[in-house]
Amino acid sequence: MPSPQSIMAAAVLMFATLLQQGASSGCRGGVCSSGTAWLQLHGSFNKTLSTESSFGSCVASTTELGATDEICAQTCSYLEVGQWPCGGNGPCVCSQGTTAAPTVAPTTTMRSTTVAATTTTTTTTTTARTTPSTTTRAGTTVTLSTPSSTLARSIQVLESSNSDGVFMYDTGNGWLPSDIYTWPDMIQAVRLMATSGVGSLKLWLGDTNHLYGLVNVAAFLAQCMQETIQYNACDENNWSDKAVVQEAGGSVYSSASACGQLHQSYQDYSCSPEEDALAGGKMACDVDPNMEMRAFTQAGWYGAPAKLFCAPRSKVPKAPRWDYSAPWCAPEDGYGHVPPFADDVPLDEYFEYVNGGGSCKDYQGIKTGGWTFAGDGCVDGACPNSDAPLFGQPEGREDVEGCCWWGRGVIQTTGTCNFGKLNFFMGKRAADEGRSSIYPQIDFCKNPNSICDPSSPGELKWVAGMFYWLNAVQPYTSGGWDYIAELKKWVDNGMQQGDRSFINGASGIVNRGCHNPPNCGTGELHAATERAQNFDKVLKAMGLM
């Protein structure tokens, strides 16, 4: 399954790409990749970032890193004020634009990007009658309020929906209901995000017409079904195959993919100066070199790489890579079958197995594959990932120390900054500092695995994705196209199945960063038909179509 990066990561990808294409000094400090041809995992996932910018005009202030006026103008159109290289002592200088940004959501990593925005805060008062959601559009504050009666009606419809067969995943031999993403957990997430929300932001469930809110939820779910649910995985997969390594370097399916894939370094995702100021100094989580954990899910295709994991160098001195070609693993009822590890295998036992080049024990149903320290990019017994110079990693990582920040959840949250935002707005840090918190006992910085942990609240993997949605999609407005206005217009016009203008616009925002791709220069909308079919499927389950 693919792995989305944060908006900063995607924007620096564009920056480094342009440097690679147009600067003699080449690509320093970042993601050197091929233009805006955002990669897909097995031809399935492709998401980019918003072209909505908080900048006016941007020019190069120095030739450092090969920056030019053209490169700065194009790169900074994807970023918020203060984000490197368009701020923070970067090589680009930008004048302030007129578009203000909403409260920030944690962004994600499913092999491309979703939209993030710079953090601002607004004090809101929620009465028993309404659930306000304050967003900022083109410099104007707009409050989306959900009356309690509308909220109750929306929840009632969701609870009475015929959800059988909605959240399905592809096994390779047919489709089965997801056991990771369930309808009841989704309802609980909707309830939490529409009532408690995060800071000033709430999931909008309509004004006096509950159909508006249900269509908002359906549009969100249509994207989730395309992006993650069809893979039935919560944790980021190791997708650094031969094609990715040919482009980015490193070794095929390196275990150091946990540190970052495609020129990323997840533990070096820094927050903006504004976000750090809001947090009283630092928003991002601290990196603990002694942290160790193993993901809960992995891809399920034949020979698929094992779960991502992190460990200090004292326990895993050198990063191996996954060899999907050998050895063959006997099936459960076959001669020579080796029982796989339990999901809760003691980590020291698992690390000993990895260090020994173990095979066939990593997950239930494994067909082939094991760990090796040689071949396909490995050097001197270590198999690095790609370099990430923009993140302070000029060479590929040959270990997995501190590499515990891979993507997790329905629209995957990735990197120390984004987990720090979750902790600040809805986790233990919020509670410790006297703010309202949905999960006061969960420290997302101490345990990023909590999002996918089966023992965590089932709705948590949904909540992180909704945080993104109510931040980047609900408040979207660009070129005369306003998400909420278009949603209302589609509903008021009778919710015609043949009219794809609204759902295609919503899909474009998530997948390409604008409502009308390819007009924003980030490529055609990927899987438009599938997303629209998902939308119809959810609305039918709700009894609305």
Side-chain angles (χ1 to χ4, degrees):
M1 180 173 62
S3 187
Q5 291 90 355
S6 71
I7 185 169
M8 181 188 76
V12 296
L13 184 151
M14 174 68 75
F15 181 72
T17 297
L18 291 168
L19 292 178
Q20 185 183 46
Q21 293 171 346
S24 59
S25 61
C27 202
R28 174 187 161 195
V31 185
C32 301
S33 185
S34 54
T36 55
W38 308 99
L39 296 173
Q40 303 172 38
L41 179 62
H42 304 303
S44 60
F45 182 85
N46 202 350
K47 187 186 295 183
T48 56
L49 60 166
S50 173
T51 55
E52 197 75 9
S53 174
S54 296
F55 296 118
S57 59
C58 301
V59 297
S61 62
T62 175
T63 57
E64 180 187 1
L65 305 184
T68 67
D69 290 349
E70 180 181 1
I71 289 173
C72 288
Q74 187 170 357
T75 302
C76 297
S77 69
Y78 294 95
L79 286 172
E80 299 300 331
V81 174
Q83 285 198 300
W84 195 96
C86 311
N89 298 318
C92 304
V93 173
C94 303
S95 62
Q96 180 71 46
T98 58
T99 302
T103 305
V104 74
T107 48
T108 60
T109 342
M110 287 183 67
R111 191 173 187 177
S112 347
T113 34
T114 49
V115 185
T118 304
T119 301
T120 59
T121 54
T122 305
T123 302
T124 59
T125 302
T126 304
T127 68
R129 297 294 303 162
T130 62
T131 302
S133 175
T134 303
T135 61
T136 307
R137 300 183 185 181
T140 303
T141 299
V142 177
T143 299
L144 299 173
S145 297
T146 301
S148 57
S149 58
T150 303
L151 190 153
R153 178 65 178 135
S154 298
I155 296 297
Q156 181 183 34
V157 171
L158 291 175
E159 290 178 335
S160 62
S161 295
N162 181 11
S163 61
D164 291 346
V166 176
F167 299 153
M168 306 288 288
Y169 74 98
D170 187 359
T171 66
N173 295 308
W175 292 76
L176 291 176
S178 173
D179 55 353
I180 292 177
Y181 299 103
T182 70
W183 195 266
D185 287 346
M186 179 273 296
I187 294 175
Q188 178 61 9
V190 167
R191 183 183 287 109
L192 281 172
M193 295 302 277
T195 53
S196 299
V198 181
S200 63
L201 294 176
K202 307 289 186 295
L203 182 68
W204 186 63
L205 292 183
D207 40 36
T208 58
N209 187 349
H210 71 287
L211 294 181
Y212 294 152
L214 292 172
V215 169
N216 188 29
V217 172
F220 167 75
L221 295 178
Q223 311 310 318
C224 297
M225 291 160 71
Q226 175 63 32
E227 310 289 9
T228 50
I229 296 174
Q230 66 169 314
Y231 307 104
N232 201 41
C234 183
D235 290 280
E236 177 179 346
N237 287 338
N238 187 340
W239 44 262
S240 293
D241 59 13
K242 287 186 177 180
V244 173
V245 169
Q246 266 189 332
E247 178 178 356
S251 48
V252 175
Y253 295 128
S254 168
S255 58
S257 292
C259 306
Q261 305 191 71
L262 194 64
H263 295 296
Q264 305 301 300
S265 178
Y266 303 151
Q267 70 189 75
D268 294 304
Y269 276 15
S270 60
C271 296
S272 71
E274 292 81 6
E275 291 162 350
D276 286 339
L278 174 66
K282 186 177 182 181
M283 178 70 77
C285 297
D286 291 325
V287 176
D288 178 1
N290 294 313
M291 185 180 286
E292 54 186 59
M293 58 188 59
R294 183 173 175 239
F296 290 98
T297 64
Q298 79 290 318
W301 50 270
Y302 190 96
K307 300 171 177 66
L308 297 177
F309 67 90
C310 60
R313 281 187 288 267
S314 61
K315 294 191 176 184
V316 181
K318 293 185 176 183
R321 68 174 183 88
W322 182 259
D323 183 354
Y324 60 89
S325 65
W328 174 79
C329 303
E332 185 172 353
D333 57 352
Y335 176 77
H337 172 69
V338 179
F341 287 119
D343 288 341
D344 60 351
V345 57
L347 289 178
D348 284 348
E349 180 182 347
Y350 182 72
F351 296 152
E352 182 179 0
Y353 159 86
V354 169
N355 290 331
S359 59
C360 295
K361 296 183 66 174
D362 289 82
Y363 54 88
Q364 190 73 35
I366 189 171
K367 304 294 192 303
T368 181
W371 296 108
T372 180
F373 294 84
D376 277 347
C378 303
V379 178
D380 294 331
C383 307
N385 67 344
S386 60
D387 60 8
L390 276 179
F391 297 91
Q393 300 291 344
E395 304 291 338
R397 289 288 301 272
E398 296 182 348
D399 61 273
V400 291
E401 185 170 280
C403 297
C404 308
W405 308 99
W406 58 82
R408 297 167 173 94
V410 72
I411 297 183
Q412 294 192 325
T413 300
T414 306
T416 51
C417 177
N418 294 316
F419 282 99
K421 292 172 189 174
L422 283 180
N423 211 34
F424 181 85
F425 287 110
M426 64 173 69
K428 189 173 186 295
R429 181 176 178 183
D432 289 348
E433 295 178 0
R435 297 186 303 279
S436 176
S437 174
I438 299 177
Y439 301 108
Q441 303 304 318
I442 297 179
D443 191 328
F444 293 96
C445 288
K446 297 293 185 183
N447 185 19
N449 246 5
S450 59
I451 290 179
C452 297
D453 191 333
S455 67
S456 291
E459 78 280 355
L460 179 55
K461 61 183 68 71
W462 290 99
V463 165
M466 288 180 185
F467 193 4
Y468 156 76
W469 186 264
L470 57 87
N471 218 309
V473 181
Q474 273 188 185
Y476 178 91
T477 181
S478 178
W481 199 96
D482 180 282
Y483 174 80
I484 295 296
E486 294 296 324
L487 184 159
K488 288 184 174 182
K489 182 168 69 174
W490 188 78
V491 172
D492 294 345
N493 286 341
M495 301 172 63
Q496 298 298 315
Q497 189 172 358
D499 178 5
R500 296 304 195 191
S501 58
F502 165 68
I503 188 57
N504 284 348
S507 297
I509 296 167
V510 174
N511 179 244
R512 291 302 188 185
C514 66
H515 67 281
N516 59 345
N519 293 335
C520 51
T522 53
E524 297 283 350
L525 172 60
H526 174 254
T529 299
E530 289 83 353
R531 294 170 196 269
Q533 290 173 344
N534 292 341
F535 184 58
D536 293 346
K537 190 175 186 179
V538 174
L539 290 174
K540 287 176 182 176
M542 294 176 179
L544 304 182
M545 184 174 282

